[in-house]
Amino acid sequence: MLTNKLTREIINQLKETAQAMVAPGKGILAADESGPTIKKRFDTIGVESSGETRQAYRELLFTTPGIQEFISGVILFDETMGQSTRKEILFPKFLAGRGIIPGIKVDKGLTLIPGTSDEKATQGLDGLAERMEKYREVGAGFAKWRGVLEIGNHKPTRLGVDINAHALARYAAITQRAGLVPIVEPEILITGSHDIETCEQVSKWVLGRVFSELAQHRVILEGMILKPSMVTSGDGHPDQADIETVAKATIRAFKQSVPAAVPGVVFLSGGQSSELATAHLNAMNQMGCCPWELSFSYGRALQEKTLLVWKGNADNLSMAQKTLLHRAECNGAARYGNYTQAMEEVV
Ligand code: 13P
């Protein structure tokens, strides 16, 4: 039942789920691509996007032997939540049976903020409490909401930052009341010609506003997970900051902006190559002594190579699963700062 009050029981459950999501050596697989996004991914391998191909691909991911060793949770899209394995076990139930927590992307995508130069707000707050109830019934343990901000051309504006921080906090409060852990994702896009210092300043500003709104909305920090972008140079900047610089700038910005009560920070990959996303996480974990677990919730950086090997052909299933397992294992090692380049030479 939805309740306006966060009972001790709900709070304990939220804390427990959040801790399990950032269990040692594990991270989250983001497999919540919306219809248009998965079509874009399938286009790159020449596979038509249909209910059947999407089911086959998601089954490949979720049935990968050994994946539960490195993956604590999977973020699903609404359609996938209602799909089943070929043996007719609903995906959320199948994942839970493997000890993997199923989660659900609950935002409904982006819309223009009128009067701005193409800044975006995230939709989906209307009716969210009722939808949450439905997701909980099918076994979701957590949810995700993505806000998007862009650097450059006088962006982000105060309006853009405030609207996104407010929506993230409203979503997080509603999600916790349904007993699900909110993944709060304020993504600052990597696209642009800005330098890393600008990204660091904007990251601190955005995170500061997000946590101020979360406090106002009485969100229990111990029962949420932050999913941010790393502090990097814009992809169009001529001097790309190296791995160590990215790790240091990210940790510096986060120590100033993210309360220690948050159990985990799970990064998105945001267009970084698979290896670079792993190397960045590894470097941050090597720096040690952060109050939060530093983990991953990658979409592309976990799946890109798997898709290329699969190509929509059932004959490639086993090789594609090995490719996914290998990426998950590399990121699992990066959780301890134990990832090495030599690990890439195995597959
Ligand atoms: P990427 O790792 O591909 O950025 O995706 C993560 C995600 O969930 C974006 O919302």
Side-chain angles (χ1 to χ4, degrees):
M1 268 303 282
L2 270 180
T3 163
N4 188 35
K5 195 170 155 28
L6 277 175
T7 60
R8 179 52 51 195
E9 194 188 342
I10 294 180
I11 293 172
N12 287 341
Q13 188 193 326
L14 292 172
K15 285 182 183 173
E16 202 179 301
T17 306
Q19 291 293 345
M21 288 164 72
V22 290
K26 296 186 186 184
I28 293 165
L29 166 65
D32 59 329
E33 298 84 359
S34 62
T37 304
I38 195 71
K39 182 183 179 312
K40 215 159 56 180
R41 305 277 186 264
F42 280 5
D43 282 349
T44 64
I45 54 164
V47 169
E48 191 202 337
S49 178
S50 67
E52 267 165 52
T53 54
R54 291 191 293 271
Q55 184 283 336
Y57 176 60
R58 264 73 185 242
E59 178 157 355
L60 176 161
L61 299 178
F62 307 157
T63 57
T64 295
I67 199 78
Q68 70 281 4
E69 228 183 292
F70 310 107
I71 298 296
S72 56
V74 177
I75 317 175
L76 305 170
F77 185 59
D78 183 80
E79 178 196 56
T80 321
M81 205 81 191
Q83 286 181 325
S84 305
T85 64
R86 268 165 306 156
K87 292 184 180 159
E88 295 183 5
I89 306 171
L90 275 172
F91 280 141
K93 192 169 173 207
F94 176 80
L95 288 166
R98 303 193 72 186
I100 296 172
I101 308 166
I104 177 77
K105 167 195 170 80
V106 295
D107 68 68
K108 293 195 166 179
L110 307 176
T111 187
L112 175 75
I113 301 176
T116 68
S117 145
D118 210 25
E119 286 192 287
K120 302 289 192 328
T122 305
Q123 308 178 94
L125 286 170
D126 287 355
L128 182 59
E130 290 73 26
R131 283 197 289 137
M132 225 36 117
E133 192 74 341
K134 184 187 95 183
Y135 292 135
R136 203 185 44 170
E137 272 164 24
V138 289
F142 66 92
K144 172 192 124 169
W145 178 286
R146 174 174 174 256
V148 180
L149 294 147
E150 205 182 331
I151 300 179
N153 193 21
H154 307 292
K155 290 183 278 190
T157 61
R158 204 165 100 182
L159 178 66
V161 172
D162 287 354
I163 283 180
N164 276 284
H166 184 259
L168 279 164
R170 287 256 292 132
Y171 139 80
I174 292 168
T175 303
Q176 287 193 332
R177 266 146 193 85
L180 274 73
V181 169
I183 291 187
V184 173
E185 180 178 356
E187 175 170 5
I188 298 166
L189 296 176
I190 202 168
T191 47
S193 54
H194 51 277
D195 55 22
I196 188 168
E197 289 80 12
T198 306
C199 185
E200 187 172 345
Q201 290 310 317
V202 173
S203 297
K204 285 195 285 189
W205 175 25
V206 170
L207 290 169
R209 288 294 301 120
V210 167
F211 280 99
S212 158
E213 287 286 342
L214 289 168
Q216 259 195 310
H217 285 79
R218 311 226 189 313
V219 170
I220 308 287
L221 298 181
E222 291 84 349
M224 65 158 276
I225 297 289
L226 179 70
K227 174 164 174 168
S229 35
M230 297 176 195
V231 175
T232 64
S233 320
D235 61 0
H237 192 266
D239 293 319
Q240 289 294 305
D242 61 21
I243 293 167
E244 201 189 331
T245 308
V246 167
K248 281 188 175 156
T250 305
I251 299 295
R252 192 166 53 227
F254 282 43
K255 279 193 170 166
Q256 290 177 36
S257 331
V258 181
V262 174
V265 173
V266 300
F267 291 99
L268 57 91
S269 58
Q272 294 180 28
S273 74
S274 304
E275 276 96 349
L276 196 54
T278 310
H280 281 148
L281 179 65
N282 190 60
M284 284 188 253
N285 275 311
Q286 280 182 345
M287 287 169 62
C289 61
C290 284
W292 347 267
E293 291 290 329
L294 290 175
S295 185
F296 59 93
S297 174
Y298 297 155
R300 282 163 287 179
L302 276 169
Q303 296 182 52
E304 217 156 45
K305 294 186 181 198
T306 307
L307 266 174
L308 287 174
V309 173
W310 177 55
K311 294 197 191 76
N313 184 342
D315 294 345
N316 300 330
L317 183 106
S318 167
M319 202 53 217
Q321 290 186 324
K322 284 199 180 100
T323 307
L324 176 66
L325 183 67
H326 175 252
R327 270 293 16 105
E329 191 177 359
C330 287
N331 286 299
R335 290 278 278 110
Y336 298 108
N338 287 341
Y339 164 72
T340 59
Q341 194 51 41
M343 288 182 76
E344 298 295 352
E345 275 124 48
V346 180
V347 160

